[in-house]
Amino acid sequence: MDNEHIKKIKIFDTTLRDGEQSPGASMNIEEKLNLARQLARLGVDVIEAGFPVASEGDFEAVKAIAQEIKGVEIAGLARANEKDIYRAYSAVKYSEKPVIHTFIATSDLHLKYKLKMSREDLYEKAVGMVRYAKTFIENVEFSAEDASRTDFEFLCKVLEGVIDAGATTVNIPDTVGYATPFEFFNFIKSIKERVKSIENVILSVHCHNDLGLAVANSLSAILAGANQVECTINGIGERAGNAALEEIVMALDVRKDIYNAITNINTNEIYRSSQLLTHITGISVQPNKAIVGKNAFAHEAGIHQDGVLKEKATYEIMTPERVGRQSNDLVLGKHSGKHAFKEKLESLGYLLNDKEIENAFIKFKALSDRKKEIYDEDIDSLIAKSHPFEKYELKYVNVVCGDTVTPLSMVKVMVDGELKHNSSCGNGPVDAAINAIEKIVNSKAKVIGYEVKSIRGTTEAQGDVSITIEENGVSITGRSAHTDIVVASAKAYVNAINKLYIHNSNLKKSVESEIYE
Ligand code: KIV
Ligand code: ZN
């Protein structure tokens, strides 16, 4: 590696903003704060915490993250208008390192059909709004939405204008995932060569994955001179998602010889970050997903296993430990005390206060009464489960089922402190339980997805259930784990209904109903 010219790449994490735009990925404030704490441990340079004008909930989440998370830049998204920018400022101003991230589309396609604006008017708006944002905060990022399909000369003019107005970062999004790696390399290189004063600002890229090229395009941009990449954990995001943080970071780490670049990321925290996001959103990664998928380090073929046993490097380009995947499994059980439990929590990266440890320990003891061996994944599911506020709480579920009877359920749910009960039959025990809960919560939401998988072990394993519900085009995933999969399903459904309730309450309080599309 050429140590003299080694480049520092800033990692701008947008899991809480673009990532949250994934269907089913809505998070409440407590979940966002939890994830933000983990992103800080991971070592990202910037956390884009949300889009404050979109809803009261988004505003409060960005504000809470800005207040609590130190040492990391906290960005809030804003369209290029005064109301959005002021709202973003009002939320991020609590941060030690606040950033306003303002954007407007620059391609003719967007100008003509979406914004109905001329290039001249757009130029004035972009420059004017960066100037306006600068009256509040030093660090202002400007994004030229749909940059990769924008007329090159016009894009350069806009970039020069916003740099002149004080933008400290200019971001080049491939908003619709249309670019290809060689083309994107040339595009970024030309921007570097052509735009005046570009060397005085951070040049950032933001790639979407519609053609599966988001990571390749981001890496090409780094080779061409970009010094910031915007990405998400597990690559979640709009449509096919954003560039996956873990893949970019590990490509830079493993292929230092090619990229000659470093990041601030503590790679040991990668797997935990991925797991936490999965637990919060209920969206699992595919088993063969690079770096964080279940099979990413599994050697199945005999020839490979033989090679790895003789010398790991034969088939492993990085160790699982490098990304925080434990090879030593200290399994807890019924007889494990609070001390061992606390140590386990710390080794998994959970920094909880005494009260949180106490609550988690009670849940751990209850689980260890039902299950002999408690794996790391079981503990993750215990921790991720705690929510500060729940309108609905499942108190009881009982289902009679079998091969000769129609499944019949009895459930009790606490609704705002009042215990309600109902019963229903169904197509199976899970369906019967959900139907009875539906009668109590009186929801119009439709169940559109159901997934159950075992958290390691044998028939005594916990079933990890994700249920996705949809109402008015909004889809939300609830999740729960239990050794009884009917109980796990009922709890996952109630979890989804609680999240939907919070989402709807935030929407009602929304200061701006038109959300970024
Ligand atoms: O994809 C995109 O263009 C965006 C911008 C808001 C940066 O997410
Ligand atoms: Zn995006």
Side-chain angles (χ1 to χ4, degrees):
M1 191 164 52
D2 174 3
N3 284 331
E4 249 186 43
H5 298 104
I6 200 156
K7 254 183 33 174
K8 162 79 204 303
I9 303 299
K10 275 182 92 170
I11 299 294
F12 178 117
D13 181 277
T14 183
T15 308
L16 292 168
R17 199 278 297 170
D18 222 335
E20 211 213 4
Q21 291 173 212
S22 294
S26 302
M27 297 173 232
N28 62 35
I29 294 185
E30 198 47 41
E31 290 167 334
K32 285 185 180 182
L33 255 172
N34 259 336
L35 194 61
R37 289 181 193 124
Q38 179 56 28
L39 291 173
R41 284 199 285 268
L42 178 63
V44 305
D45 299 280
V46 189
I47 294 175
E48 183 162 54
F51 186 15
V53 85
S55 72
E56 194 61 26
D58 241 35
F59 178 87
E60 290 302 332
V62 177
K63 181 175 161 189
I65 291 168
Q67 282 170 327
E68 184 185 313
I69 308 292
K70 303 292 171 215
V72 184
E73 293 178 44
I74 307 297
L77 186 69
R79 285 167 298 187
N81 66 57
E82 292 188 359
K83 185 175 175 184
D84 277 37
I85 290 172
Y86 186 71
R87 194 76 178 145
Y89 162 69
S90 308
V92 297
K93 69 178 180 190
Y94 300 94
S95 163
E96 270 177 4
K97 300 179 176 185
V99 181
I100 295 175
H101 175 194
T102 185
F103 75 97
I104 191 160
T106 47
S107 67
D108 287 339
L109 204 63
H110 280 242
L111 283 180
K112 182 169 173 197
Y113 294 106
K114 191 178 90 177
L115 300 172
K116 302 188 192 331
M117 255 176 136
S118 68
R119 284 188 182 178
E120 291 68 33
D121 289 346
L122 177 118
Y123 176 85
E124 294 305 327
K125 190 153 193 95
V127 171
M129 287 305 109
V130 168
R131 214 170 266 136
Y132 178 68
K134 284 292 280 193
T135 61
F136 301 111
I137 269 172
E138 167 54 22
N139 280 335
V140 174
E141 169 167 329
F142 172 79
S143 283
E145 192 192 2
D146 208 20
S148 53
R149 296 191 300 170
T150 297
D151 175 78
F152 185 68
E153 288 304 314
F154 180 59
L155 177 65
C156 292
K157 180 178 165 181
V158 173
L159 296 179
E160 278 175 10
V162 296
I163 292 173
D164 212 36
T168 45
T169 299
V170 289
N171 182 37
I172 311 299
D174 179 27
T175 302
V176 290
Y178 182 69
T180 60
F182 186 54
E183 174 193 35
F184 206 56
F185 172 89
N186 285 327
F187 189 53
I188 299 300
K189 190 161 172 276
S190 307
I191 288 173
K192 275 212 86 156
E193 286 163 0
R194 165 73 176 70
V195 175
K196 246 194 288 146
S197 302
I198 193 94
E199 66 284 359
N200 299 332
V201 298
I202 301 285
L203 176 57
S204 171
V205 293
H206 174 113
C207 298
H208 277 271
N209 206 30
D210 300 66
L211 292 173
L213 295 172
V215 170
N217 286 335
S218 305
L219 292 169
S220 292
I222 289 172
L223 284 177
N227 27 35
Q228 174 173 288
V229 282
E230 302 197 350
C231 43
T232 58
I233 304 291
N234 297 344
I236 67 165
E238 276 282 334
R239 309 179 307 279
N242 290 58
L245 179 148
E246 61 279 2
E247 294 180 22
I248 296 177
V249 168
M250 291 317 291
L252 296 180
D253 189 72
V254 172
R255 299 308 309 269
K256 289 192 188 81
D257 55 328
I258 301 285
Y259 296 105
N260 209 23
I262 51 164
T263 68
N264 255 345
I265 297 296
N266 174 3
T267 60
N268 295 324
E269 293 290 338
I270 285 181
Y271 189 58
R272 190 169 302 129
S273 308
S274 162
Q275 290 285 100
L276 181 63
L277 180 66
T278 296
H279 284 299
I280 290 175
T281 60
I283 301 173
S284 313
V285 296
Q286 79 224 38
N288 59 325
K289 162 88 176 61
I291 319 291
V292 293
K294 186 167 167 269
N295 298 344
F297 293 89
H299 303 279
E300 189 74 20
I303 294 176
H304 290 207
Q305 288 175 349
D306 180 53
V308 169
L309 287 174
K310 288 176 175 149
E311 168 55 56
K312 277 190 176 176
T314 51
Y315 287 100
E316 249 178 38
I317 57 167
M318 63 196 139
T319 63
E321 290 81 7
R322 180 98 188 105
V323 296
R325 301 180 72 145
Q326 306 295 328
S327 54
N328 67 327
D329 270 341
L330 174 62
V331 181
L332 299 183
K334 199 182 173 78
H335 302 294
S336 306
K338 201 186 285 175
H339 185 71
F341 179 67
K342 204 173 151 197
E343 274 194 359
K344 185 65 160 179
L345 286 179
E346 277 166 19
S347 81
L348 290 173
Y350 291 111
L351 304 174
L352 307 183
N353 62 34
D354 288 349
K355 190 158 178 271
E356 288 167 331
I357 293 175
E358 193 55 48
N359 285 341
F361 189 65
I362 292 170
K363 288 183 194 165
F364 163 74
K365 279 291 174 193
L367 178 60
S368 63
D369 276 341
R370 299 194 304 271
K371 190 171 183 293
K372 246 191 349 237
E373 295 182 316
I374 311 286
Y375 297 104
D376 294 355
E377 292 90 332
D378 290 313
I379 293 180
D380 285 331
S381 78
L382 287 180
I383 306 299
K385 230 160 39 177
S386 40
H387 300 291
F389 163 77
E390 313 231 292
K391 180 174 170 72
Y392 306 103
E393 195 189 342
L394 183 73
K395 284 293 186 192
Y396 172 88
V397 54
N398 185 345
V399 184
V400 179
C401 64
D403 60 351
T404 53
V405 290
T406 303
L408 178 67
S409 73
M410 257 292 300
V411 302
K412 294 181 188 170
V413 177
M414 191 72 91
V415 184
D416 286 334
E418 191 190 336
L419 193 63
K420 304 198 169 180
H421 52 90
N422 220 314
S423 61
S424 179
C425 48
N427 244 336
V430 170
D431 194 44
I434 304 295
N435 289 345
I437 299 169
E438 243 171 14
K439 288 184 187 169
I440 295 175
V441 300
N442 204 10
S443 170
K444 291 184 196 65
K446 269 204 177 80
V447 175
I448 58 163
Y450 176 77
E451 212 182 286
V452 55
K453 59 181 196 290
S454 99
I455 301 184
R456 280 219 259 171
T458 59
T459 47
E460 51 111 56
Q462 287 203 94
D464 184 355
V465 176
S466 301
I467 292 189
T468 306
I469 58 175
E470 192 200 53
E471 188 185 89
N472 301 327
V474 175
S475 57
I476 282 180
T477 303
R479 191 164 184 191
S480 190
H482 198 277
T483 45
D484 181 325
I485 58 163
V486 178
V487 177
S489 305
K491 288 189 168 189
Y493 179 70
V494 171
N495 178 234
I497 291 289
N498 272 318
K499 285 183 167 183
L500 182 65
Y501 175 78
I502 292 170
H503 175 88
N504 287 342
S505 330
N506 285 340
L507 215 60
K508 256 189 234 142
K509 286 188 241 156
S510 172
V511 288
E512 174 76 66
S513 59
E514 185 203 338
I515 297 186
Y516 163 67
E517 8 54 310

PDB file of all heavy atoms in Angstrom, residues 33 60-70 74 91-96:
ATOM      1  N   LEU A  33     -32.992   5.419  18.273  1.00  0.00           N
ATOM      2  CA  LEU A  33     -31.913   5.782  19.196  1.00  0.00           C
ATOM      3  C   LEU A  33     -30.974   4.600  19.429  1.00  0.00           C
ATOM      4  O   LEU A  33     -29.751   4.754  19.440  1.00  0.00           O
ATOM      5  CB  LEU A  33     -32.515   6.206  20.533  1.00  0.00           C
ATOM      6  CG  LEU A  33     -32.518   7.697  20.821  1.00  0.00           C
ATOM      7  CD1 LEU A  33     -33.318   7.982  22.079  1.00  0.00           C
ATOM      8  CD2 LEU A  33     -31.113   8.272  20.947  1.00  0.00           C
ATOM      9  N   GLU A  60     -38.760  14.379  16.197  1.00  0.00           N
ATOM     10  CA  GLU A  60     -38.356  14.038  17.578  1.00  0.00           C
ATOM     11  C   GLU A  60     -37.200  13.048  17.579  1.00  0.00           C
ATOM     12  O   GLU A  60     -36.311  13.125  18.435  1.00  0.00           O
ATOM     13  CB  GLU A  60     -39.545  13.462  18.361  1.00  0.00           C
ATOM     14  CG  GLU A  60     -40.636  14.480  18.678  1.00  0.00           C
ATOM     15  CD  GLU A  60     -40.141  15.699  19.481  1.00  0.00           C
ATOM     16  OE1 GLU A  60     -39.165  15.563  20.240  1.00  0.00           O
ATOM     17  OE2 GLU A  60     -40.722  16.788  19.321  1.00  0.00           O
ATOM     18  N   ALA A  61     -37.204  12.120  16.634  1.00  0.00           N
ATOM     19  CA  ALA A  61     -36.118  11.131  16.591  1.00  0.00           C
ATOM     20  C   ALA A  61     -34.799  11.815  16.245  1.00  0.00           C
ATOM     21  O   ALA A  61     -33.767  11.551  16.879  1.00  0.00           O
ATOM     22  CB  ALA A  61     -36.430  10.042  15.568  1.00  0.00           C
ATOM     23  N   VAL A  62     -34.810  12.700  15.254  1.00  0.00           N
ATOM     24  CA  VAL A  62     -33.572  13.389  14.876  1.00  0.00           C
ATOM     25  C   VAL A  62     -33.081  14.228  16.055  1.00  0.00           C
ATOM     26  O   VAL A  62     -31.890  14.225  16.394  1.00  0.00           O
ATOM     27  CB  VAL A  62     -33.782  14.279  13.617  1.00  0.00           C
ATOM     28  CG1 VAL A  62     -32.504  15.041  13.277  1.00  0.00           C
ATOM     29  CG2 VAL A  62     -34.211  13.424  12.420  1.00  0.00           C
ATOM     30  N   LYS A  63     -34.018  14.915  16.713  1.00  0.00           N
ATOM     31  CA  LYS A  63     -33.647  15.751  17.859  1.00  0.00           C
ATOM     32  C   LYS A  63     -33.027  14.895  18.978  1.00  0.00           C
ATOM     33  O   LYS A  63     -31.971  15.236  19.524  1.00  0.00           O
ATOM     34  CB  LYS A  63     -34.903  16.479  18.363  1.00  0.00           C
ATOM     35  CG  LYS A  63     -34.660  17.385  19.525  1.00  0.00           C
ATOM     36  CD  LYS A  63     -35.926  18.153  19.868  1.00  0.00           C
ATOM     37  CE  LYS A  63     -35.836  18.692  21.280  1.00  0.00           C
ATOM     38  NZ  LYS A  63     -37.083  19.267  21.751  1.00  0.00           N
ATOM     39  N   ALA A  64     -33.676  13.772  19.295  1.00  0.00           N
ATOM     40  CA  ALA A  64     -33.173  12.917  20.385  1.00  0.00           C
ATOM     41  C   ALA A  64     -31.779  12.395  20.047  1.00  0.00           C
ATOM     42  O   ALA A  64     -30.886  12.351  20.911  1.00  0.00           O
ATOM     43  CB  ALA A  64     -34.138  11.761  20.619  1.00  0.00           C
ATOM     44  N   ILE A  65     -31.572  12.013  18.793  1.00  0.00           N
ATOM     45  CA  ILE A  65     -30.253  11.493  18.386  1.00  0.00           C
ATOM     46  C   ILE A  65     -29.222  12.615  18.457  1.00  0.00           C
ATOM     47  O   ILE A  65     -28.105  12.430  18.942  1.00  0.00           O
ATOM     48  CB  ILE A  65     -30.344  10.860  16.973  1.00  0.00           C
ATOM     49  CG1 ILE A  65     -31.174   9.568  17.052  1.00  0.00           C
ATOM     50  CG2 ILE A  65     -28.963  10.580  16.390  1.00  0.00           C
ATOM     51  CD1 ILE A  65     -31.587   8.982  15.728  1.00  0.00           C
ATOM     52  N   ALA A  66     -29.620  13.808  17.998  1.00  0.00           N
ATOM     53  CA  ALA A  66     -28.693  14.953  18.034  1.00  0.00           C
ATOM     54  C   ALA A  66     -28.309  15.279  19.480  1.00  0.00           C
ATOM     55  O   ALA A  66     -27.161  15.628  19.776  1.00  0.00           O
ATOM     56  CB  ALA A  66     -29.340  16.165  17.374  1.00  0.00           C
ATOM     57  N   GLN A  67     -29.276  15.134  20.395  1.00  0.00           N
ATOM     58  CA  GLN A  67     -28.995  15.450  21.807  1.00  0.00           C
ATOM     59  C   GLN A  67     -28.070  14.418  22.446  1.00  0.00           C
ATOM     60  O   GLN A  67     -27.220  14.754  23.244  1.00  0.00           O
ATOM     61  CB  GLN A  67     -30.298  15.514  22.601  1.00  0.00           C
ATOM     62  CG  GLN A  67     -31.045  16.813  22.382  1.00  0.00           C
ATOM     63  CD  GLN A  67     -32.446  16.785  22.965  1.00  0.00           C
ATOM     64  OE1 GLN A  67     -33.093  15.734  22.989  1.00  0.00           O
ATOM     65  NE2 GLN A  67     -32.932  17.928  23.409  1.00  0.00           N
ATOM     66  N   GLU A  68     -28.262  13.156  22.082  1.00  0.00           N
ATOM     67  CA  GLU A  68     -27.530  12.109  22.808  1.00  0.00           C
ATOM     68  C   GLU A  68     -26.195  11.688  22.186  1.00  0.00           C
ATOM     69  O   GLU A  68     -25.231  11.430  22.909  1.00  0.00           O
ATOM     70  CB  GLU A  68     -28.428  10.870  22.950  1.00  0.00           C
ATOM     71  CG  GLU A  68     -27.718   9.820  23.774  1.00  0.00           C
ATOM     72  CD  GLU A  68     -28.437   8.510  23.884  1.00  0.00           C
ATOM     73  OE1 GLU A  68     -29.654   8.511  24.164  1.00  0.00           O
ATOM     74  OE2 GLU A  68     -27.766   7.462  23.700  1.00  0.00           O
ATOM     75  N   ILE A  69     -26.157  11.558  20.889  1.00  0.00           N
ATOM     76  CA  ILE A  69     -24.978  10.934  20.263  1.00  0.00           C
ATOM     77  C   ILE A  69     -23.869  11.961  20.050  1.00  0.00           C
ATOM     78  O   ILE A  69     -24.043  12.929  19.309  1.00  0.00           O
ATOM     79  CB  ILE A  69     -25.358  10.274  18.907  1.00  0.00           C
ATOM     80  CG1 ILE A  69     -26.557   9.335  19.078  1.00  0.00           C
ATOM     81  CG2 ILE A  69     -24.152   9.562  18.291  1.00  0.00           C
ATOM     82  CD1 ILE A  69     -26.311   8.093  19.885  1.00  0.00           C
ATOM     83  N   LYS A  70     -22.754  11.703  20.711  1.00  0.00           N
ATOM     84  CA  LYS A  70     -21.633  12.653  20.640  1.00  0.00           C
ATOM     85  C   LYS A  70     -20.546  12.131  19.698  1.00  0.00           C
ATOM     86  O   LYS A  70     -20.421  10.930  19.473  1.00  0.00           O
ATOM     87  CB  LYS A  70     -21.014  12.853  22.034  1.00  0.00           C
ATOM     88  CG  LYS A  70     -22.004  13.325  23.085  1.00  0.00           C
ATOM     89  CD  LYS A  70     -22.476  14.737  22.814  1.00  0.00           C
ATOM     90  CE  LYS A  70     -23.622  15.115  23.732  1.00  0.00           C
ATOM     91  NZ  LYS A  70     -24.616  15.977  23.136  1.00  0.00           N
ATOM     92  N   ILE A  74     -24.363  14.681  12.912  1.00  0.00           N
ATOM     93  CA  ILE A  74     -25.775  14.270  12.802  1.00  0.00           C
ATOM     94  C   ILE A  74     -26.439  15.139  11.733  1.00  0.00           C
ATOM     95  O   ILE A  74     -26.492  16.366  11.851  1.00  0.00           O
ATOM     96  CB  ILE A  74     -26.530  14.432  14.141  1.00  0.00           C
ATOM     97  CG1 ILE A  74     -25.805  13.710  15.293  1.00  0.00           C
ATOM     98  CG2 ILE A  74     -27.984  13.953  13.998  1.00  0.00           C
ATOM     99  CD1 ILE A  74     -25.692  12.204  15.167  1.00  0.00           C
ATOM    100  N   ALA A  91     -34.029  20.519  14.488  1.00  0.00           N
ATOM    101  CA  ALA A  91     -33.792  19.189  15.072  1.00  0.00           C
ATOM    102  C   ALA A  91     -32.313  18.900  15.264  1.00  0.00           C
ATOM    103  O   ALA A  91     -31.911  18.345  16.284  1.00  0.00           O
ATOM    104  CB  ALA A  91     -34.421  18.110  14.180  1.00  0.00           C
ATOM    105  N   VAL A  92     -31.462  19.266  14.280  1.00  0.00           N
ATOM    106  CA  VAL A  92     -30.042  18.879  14.395  1.00  0.00           C
ATOM    107  C   VAL A  92     -29.224  19.863  15.239  1.00  0.00           C
ATOM    108  O   VAL A  92     -28.089  19.561  15.605  1.00  0.00           O
ATOM    109  CB  VAL A  92     -29.343  18.711  13.011  1.00  0.00           C
ATOM    110  CG1 VAL A  92     -29.981  17.589  12.211  1.00  0.00           C
ATOM    111  CG2 VAL A  92     -29.313  20.002  12.225  1.00  0.00           C
ATOM    112  N   LYS A  93     -29.814  21.017  15.555  1.00  0.00           N
ATOM    113  CA  LYS A  93     -29.017  22.052  16.249  1.00  0.00           C
ATOM    114  C   LYS A  93     -28.496  21.584  17.612  1.00  0.00           C
ATOM    115  O   LYS A  93     -27.558  22.152  18.154  1.00  0.00           O
ATOM    116  CB  LYS A  93     -29.823  23.342  16.405  1.00  0.00           C
ATOM    117  CG  LYS A  93     -30.982  23.234  17.370  1.00  0.00           C
ATOM    118  CD  LYS A  93     -31.707  24.567  17.495  1.00  0.00           C
ATOM    119  CE  LYS A  93     -32.864  24.428  18.453  1.00  0.00           C
ATOM    120  NZ  LYS A  93     -33.751  25.578  18.462  1.00  0.00           N
ATOM    121  N   TYR A  94     -29.110  20.524  18.163  1.00  0.00           N
ATOM    122  CA  TYR A  94     -28.670  20.015  19.474  1.00  0.00           C
ATOM    123  C   TYR A  94     -27.382  19.202  19.378  1.00  0.00           C
ATOM    124  O   TYR A  94     -26.783  18.849  20.382  1.00  0.00           O
ATOM    125  CB  TYR A  94     -29.779  19.143  20.086  1.00  0.00           C
ATOM    126  CG  TYR A  94     -31.058  19.924  20.288  1.00  0.00           C
ATOM    127  CD1 TYR A  94     -32.054  19.919  19.314  1.00  0.00           C
ATOM    128  CD2 TYR A  94     -31.237  20.708  21.423  1.00  0.00           C
ATOM    129  CE1 TYR A  94     -33.214  20.659  19.481  1.00  0.00           C
ATOM    130  CE2 TYR A  94     -32.388  21.454  21.592  1.00  0.00           C
ATOM    131  CZ  TYR A  94     -33.371  21.426  20.623  1.00  0.00           C
ATOM    132  OH  TYR A  94     -34.490  22.165  20.786  1.00  0.00           O
ATOM    133  N   SER A  95     -26.984  18.876  18.161  1.00  0.00           N
ATOM    134  CA  SER A  95     -25.793  18.043  17.997  1.00  0.00           C
ATOM    135  C   SER A  95     -24.519  18.863  18.161  1.00  0.00           C
ATOM    136  O   SER A  95     -24.488  20.051  17.874  1.00  0.00           O
ATOM    137  CB  SER A  95     -25.829  17.423  16.597  1.00  0.00           C
ATOM    138  OG  SER A  95     -24.562  16.940  16.245  1.00  0.00           O
ATOM    139  N   GLU A  96     -23.457  18.160  18.601  1.00  0.00           N
ATOM    140  CA  GLU A  96     -22.121  18.772  18.632  1.00  0.00           C
ATOM    141  C   GLU A  96     -21.675  19.112  17.227  1.00  0.00           C
ATOM    142  O   GLU A  96     -20.935  20.057  17.005  1.00  0.00           O
ATOM    143  CB  GLU A  96     -21.111  17.715  19.135  1.00  0.00           C
ATOM    144  CG  GLU A  96     -20.890  17.655  20.578  1.00  0.00           C
ATOM    145  CD  GLU A  96     -19.928  16.500  20.897  1.00  0.00           C
ATOM    146  OE1 GLU A  96     -19.387  15.806  19.990  1.00  0.00           O
ATOM    147  OE2 GLU A  96     -19.736  16.300  22.080  1.00  0.00           O
TER     148      GLU A  96
END
